[in-house]
Amino acid sequence: MEPHRRQFVALTLGAAAGASLAGKATAEADPLPSWGDGATKEAILAFVRATTDRASPQFVPPEERIATFDQDGTLWVEHPIYTQVVYCFDRVPVVVKAKPELANDEPFRTVLSGNRGAMAQLSMDDLLKIAGATLTGMEVDTFREEVVEWIGAARDSRWKRPYTDLAYLPQIELLKYLRANGYKTYIVTGGGQDFVRAYSERTYDIPPEQVVGTAGGVRYEYAADGKPMLIKEPKLFLNDDNAGKPEGIHLMIGRRPFFAIGNSIGDRQMLEYTKAGGGLRLAMIVLHDDGEREYAYGPAQGLPDTKVGTFTQALYDEAKKGGWIVVSMKNDWKRVFRFES
Amino acid sequence: MEPHRRQFVALTLGAAAGASLAGKATAEADPLPSWGDGATKEAILAFVRATTDRASPQFVPPEERIATFDQDGTLWVEHPIYTQVVYCFDRVPVVVKAKPELANDEPFRTVLSGNRGAMAQLSMDDLLKIAGATLTGMEVDTFREEVVEWIGAARDSRWKRPYTDLAYLPQIELLKYLRANGYKTYIVTGGGQDFVRAYSERTYDIPPEQVVGTAGGVRYEYAADGKPMLIKEPKLFLNDDNAGKPEGIHLMIGRRPFFAIGNSIGDRQMLEYTKAGGGLRLAMIVLHDDGEREYAYGPAQGLPDTKVGTFTQALYDEAKKGGWIVVSMKNDWKRVFRFES
């Protein structure tokens, strides 16, 4: 590097360090500005104080500070349809172009028709067929590039924004706050591990190795030129939902979290498992009760049952009984998205 | 915390920081003091310089700096028998005490007899039966405690020391050196993931979440009192050897390593996969050619084929052809163990 360029870099880094210190001072005043004052925010602050103060009887050594976040409905919007399902639908034309014989086969024909009503009626078997065709058969690096490209270009149907803009600002703050206090933050998602890993670093500052998700197998093989490759296989390896979440946490992390947050029945076991550990553990669950700024669904608390991200009244009751904190999107979040004015 | 205690902690931490700075100054003089001067050590230093200097065309961003280490025969001694196999044999009496009907069944009877010759003749099926009985069926936390207790008490047959003393000092230095340069260090072992995780942090400063190994399934269930538990299942989930190593790396890390080191045919695919990535990648393989200070086995280079940690001549040739660095234990390591004077 030439001297003047080196100097420029040093100055820039210095400025960045200054900015970061300034940011820290603000953060110390209120590390969670998008969270409204009240019991929920106080529970988070008290948990972090108690587990990070060496003088506290509930102190947790830094290496054991593991925090796990569900993704769909917890870190970003999951309605009206999971982002990954949109990805699969969007990839169908590309897959059919490569294999034209699929154009007249169901369920590809329905997807190609663009008939949203018919697509919403597709069975789980149909969806799995589409997932197999669009998520497997290629090199892992190729898949990653395809997802990165798609997520940069695709727009959601309501806000007309990139899906990554639909990450919840209060959760981005919470992730940062936990990390600033020595917590290692993980995504533990029922979604595809390779899919989420393609954008997790840029969106949540969570590196791929800290994303635990539903994973298919990969097959090691050699290209014609002898180059080794990993090919995505249509074989389910880890179904990281329900009981699969604590199982996946053990497999991929090997420690029980001290903090976990989810939003649906698929997160129940992760939250139970977290709370069942010794010492102070915090389990939280997001209730989507804000039909205006986002969506309102349950069926807990009489909210409509929309089948995506189901939060039953039984789960709500278990949360209350087990000392999990129910986060009301409507009441606990002052701001939902970064793009809100 | 009382004021004088707080002061004591501050002073101690201050002293530690001072010591660490002093250590850093020494490390900068020679970060790898147990490595003899020569081409091997120079290759490591050059690789780290090239991938961490922002001005270098081969600079690797910190988040992509992944280094993977095989364990048995690479980080610690694997001869004459894998430590985990000793563990399994040692656990047989405990298992038989709980299930006395096993005492007359093979292969448990042979293990109980203590006849080393007969034990060495046990078939792979027998060993798997012993592994199933000693490594599964209990809570993951219980298993961890059992391994921690055993590894603290057990002694190896040659040096009469804890197995963790048999970690190679040059490799401990290499792990530290890579970490000091922003590399995230992983163990990628054919051994049991849960077994190695029980002592990896204390022995190698590698946390459980950075141990990728052969993994059995776990089953989430509830105890009679409703407490959720994870039970180790006798079901192979990931066979982290041979092609399973790059597959496991993709599953658990999701990035291709820039540095990898192994010592046997089980590491071949990991090393190939590492070298096949873009940019500068370093693959190394340890040749056990020091029968005096440790063991000498191959059969590469005419060393005896002892069936544990096989390093064939074909692998040696592939290493030379592929630009992997062959580490000669005899010539490249000035000191093998920390306990040597």
Side-chain angles (χ1 to χ4, degrees):
Chain A
M1 203 187 287
E2 303 147 57
H4 71 273
R5 211 179 138 202
R6 196 186 305 257
Q7 197 182 13
F8 171 75
V9 168
L11 282 171
T12 316
L13 288 175
S20 147
L21 281 175
K24 199 166 181 242
T26 317
E28 269 161 22
D30 184 356
L32 302 172
S34 300
W35 291 74
D37 292 329
T40 303
K41 183 168 176 171
E42 189 39 51
I44 298 171
L45 298 173
F47 167 78
V48 169
R49 271 196 307 267
T51 56
T52 59
D53 176 356
R54 285 187 178 270
S56 155
Q58 289 145 335
F59 176 75
V60 176
E63 66 273 17
E64 290 181 30
R65 293 183 201 155
I66 301 291
T68 55
F69 285 70
D70 167 58
Q71 187 195 219
D72 292 307
T74 298
L75 284 176
W76 74 355
V77 176
E78 66 186 343
H79 263 257
I81 184 173
Y82 294 124
T83 304
Q84 192 174 357
V85 177
V86 182
Y87 174 79
C88 291
F89 286 157
D90 281 5
R91 290 296 299 176
V92 165
V94 184
V95 168
V96 170
K97 202 172 169 192
K99 289 188 191 170
E101 67 274 19
L102 292 178
N104 294 314
D105 283 4
E106 287 301 348
F108 304 100
R109 197 173 138 160
T110 295
V111 176
L112 289 172
S113 76
N115 180 338
R116 293 269 154 191
M119 279 154 78
Q121 297 302 316
L122 290 173
S123 68
M124 186 48 74
D125 265 6
D126 287 336
L127 291 175
L128 286 175
K129 217 177 268 179
I130 293 165
T134 55
L135 304 175
T136 72
M138 70 292 281
E139 262 196 88
V140 298
D141 297 340
T142 307
F143 176 73
R144 188 182 168 87
E145 287 156 20
E146 287 169 358
V147 176
V148 167
E149 193 187 331
W150 180 84
I151 206 117
R155 296 293 179 267
D156 87 289
S157 58
R158 175 167 162 187
W159 291 277
K160 319 291 179 204
R161 290 182 166 273
Y163 289 95
T164 49
D165 280 10
L166 306 189
Y168 305 129
L169 183 58
Q171 301 290 51
I172 301 286
E173 291 170 2
L174 180 53
L175 284 166
K176 270 190 197 158
Y177 174 56
L178 288 169
R179 285 193 293 260
N181 283 282
Y183 277 86
K184 210 165 183 173
T185 54
Y186 282 83
I187 292 173
V188 177
T189 175
Q193 183 168 277
D194 285 344
F195 183 79
V196 179
R197 280 174 170 177
Y199 58 82
S200 63
E201 198 147 33
R202 212 177 293 181
T203 309
Y204 308 114
D205 228 344
I206 292 180
E209 61 268 29
Q210 285 164 227
V211 175
V212 180
T214 294
V218 285
R219 189 178 71 247
Y220 185 80
E221 62 173 45
Y222 300 93
D225 65 359
K227 190 190 148 221
M229 305 180 297
L230 286 174
I231 305 294
K232 284 174 70 65
E233 290 233 279
K235 187 183 74 180
L236 185 64
F237 193 75
L238 170 66
N239 185 0
D240 194 52
D241 213 2
N242 305 302
K245 288 207 172 189
E247 291 165 4
I249 287 170
H250 178 71
L251 176 73
M252 310 273 291
I253 312 177
R255 306 197 205 247
R256 192 194 299 250
F258 274 82
F259 174 97
I261 184 164
N263 80 299
S264 81
I265 45 173
D267 300 309
R268 184 182 147 199
Q269 289 86 344
M270 173 171 78
L271 297 168
E272 282 175 353
Y273 179 65
T274 298
K275 280 298 273 187
L280 185 66
R281 315 250 171 179
L282 186 59
M284 303 184 84
I285 187 154
V286 178
L287 181 67
H288 292 259
D289 55 0
D290 194 331
E292 212 160 299
R293 294 186 300 174
E294 204 241 12
Y295 293 96
Y297 51 102
Q301 302 298 86
L303 297 165
D305 184 357
T306 54
K307 309 288 181 202
V308 172
T310 301
F311 188 161
T312 59
Q313 187 59 37
L315 185 66
Y316 186 90
D317 296 342
E318 184 179 353
K320 288 293 174 185
K321 198 177 144 204
W324 313 353
I325 306 290
V326 177
V327 178
S328 159
M329 195 171 237
K330 188 171 178 178
N331 302 317
D332 291 322
W333 289 358
K334 287 201 289 196
R335 197 170 154 185
V336 176
F337 302 111
R338 195 185 294 278
F339 59 77
E340 285 170 27
S341 55
Chain B
M1 204 186 286
E2 302 146 59
H4 70 272
R5 214 181 136 200
R6 197 186 305 256
Q7 197 182 12
F8 171 77
V9 169
L11 281 171
T12 316
L13 289 175
S20 148
L21 281 174
K24 197 163 181 244
T26 317
E28 270 163 22
D30 184 355
L32 302 172
S34 300
W35 290 75
D37 292 329
T40 303
K41 183 168 175 171
E42 189 39 52
I44 298 171
L45 297 172
F47 167 79
V48 169
R49 270 195 308 267
T51 56
T52 59
D53 177 356
R54 285 187 178 269
S56 155
Q58 288 145 335
F59 176 74
V60 176
E63 67 274 14
E64 289 181 32
R65 293 182 201 157
I66 301 290
T68 55
F69 285 69
D70 167 58
Q71 188 195 217
D72 293 306
T74 298
L75 284 176
W76 75 354
V77 176
E78 65 186 345
H79 263 256
I81 183 173
Y82 295 124
T83 304
Q84 191 173 358
V85 177
V86 182
Y87 174 79
C88 292
F89 286 158
D90 280 4
R91 289 296 297 176
V92 165
V94 184
V95 168
V96 170
K97 204 174 167 190
K99 290 189 189 169
E101 67 274 19
L102 292 178
N104 294 314
D105 283 5
E106 287 301 348
F108 303 99
R109 198 173 136 157
T110 295
V111 177
L112 289 173
S113 77
N115 180 337
R116 294 269 153 192
M119 280 153 76
Q121 297 301 317
L122 290 173
S123 68
M124 186 48 74
D125 266 5
D126 286 335
L127 291 176
L128 286 176
K129 218 177 268 179
I130 293 165
T134 55
L135 304 176
T136 70
M138 72 292 282
E139 263 196 86
V140 297
D141 297 340
T142 307
F143 176 74
R144 189 182 167 87
E145 286 157 20
E146 287 169 357
V147 176
V148 167
E149 194 187 328
W150 180 84
I151 206 117
R155 297 293 178 268
D156 87 287
S157 59
R158 175 166 162 191
W159 290 277
K160 319 291 178 200
R161 290 182 166 272
Y163 288 95
T164 49
D165 280 10
L166 306 188
Y168 305 129
L169 184 58
Q171 301 289 52
I172 301 285
E173 292 170 3
L174 180 53
L175 285 167
K176 271 190 196 159
Y177 174 56
L178 288 169
R179 284 193 293 259
N181 283 282
Y183 277 87
K184 209 166 184 175
T185 54
Y186 283 82
I187 292 174
V188 177
T189 174
Q193 183 168 277
D194 285 344
F195 183 79
V196 179
R197 281 174 169 178
Y199 57 82
S200 63
E201 198 148 33
R202 213 177 292 181
T203 308
Y204 308 114
D205 229 343
I206 293 179
E209 60 269 28
Q210 284 164 229
V211 175
V212 179
T214 294
V218 285
R219 188 178 72 248
Y220 185 80
E221 61 173 45
Y222 300 93
D225 65 358
K227 192 190 149 222
M229 306 179 298
L230 286 174
I231 305 293
K232 285 175 70 65
E233 291 233 279
K235 188 183 73 182
L236 185 64
F237 193 76
L238 170 66
N239 185 0
D240 195 52
D241 213 3
N242 305 302
K245 288 206 173 191
E247 292 165 4
I249 287 169
H250 177 72
L251 176 72
M252 310 274 291
I253 310 177
R255 307 196 203 247
R256 193 193 298 251
F258 274 82
F259 173 97
I261 183 164
N263 80 297
S264 81
I265 46 173
D267 300 309
R268 183 183 148 199
Q269 288 87 344
M270 173 171 79
L271 297 168
E272 281 174 354
Y273 180 65
T274 298
K275 280 299 272 188
L280 185 64
R281 314 249 172 181
L282 185 58
M284 304 184 82
I285 188 155
V286 177
L287 182 67
H288 291 259
D289 55 1
D290 193 331
E292 214 161 297
R293 294 186 300 172
E294 204 242 13
Y295 294 96
Y297 52 101
Q301 303 296 87
L303 296 166
D305 183 357
T306 55
K307 308 288 181 201
V308 172
T310 301
F311 187 162
T312 60
Q313 187 60 36
L315 185 66
Y316 186 91
D317 296 341
E318 185 178 353
K320 289 292 173 187
K321 197 176 145 204
W324 313 353
I325 306 289
V326 177
V327 178
S328 158
M329 196 170 236
K330 189 172 176 176
N331 301 318
D332 290 321
W333 288 358
K334 288 201 288 195
R335 196 171 157 187
V336 176
F337 302 110
R338 194 186 293 279
F339 60 77
E340 286 169 25
S341 56

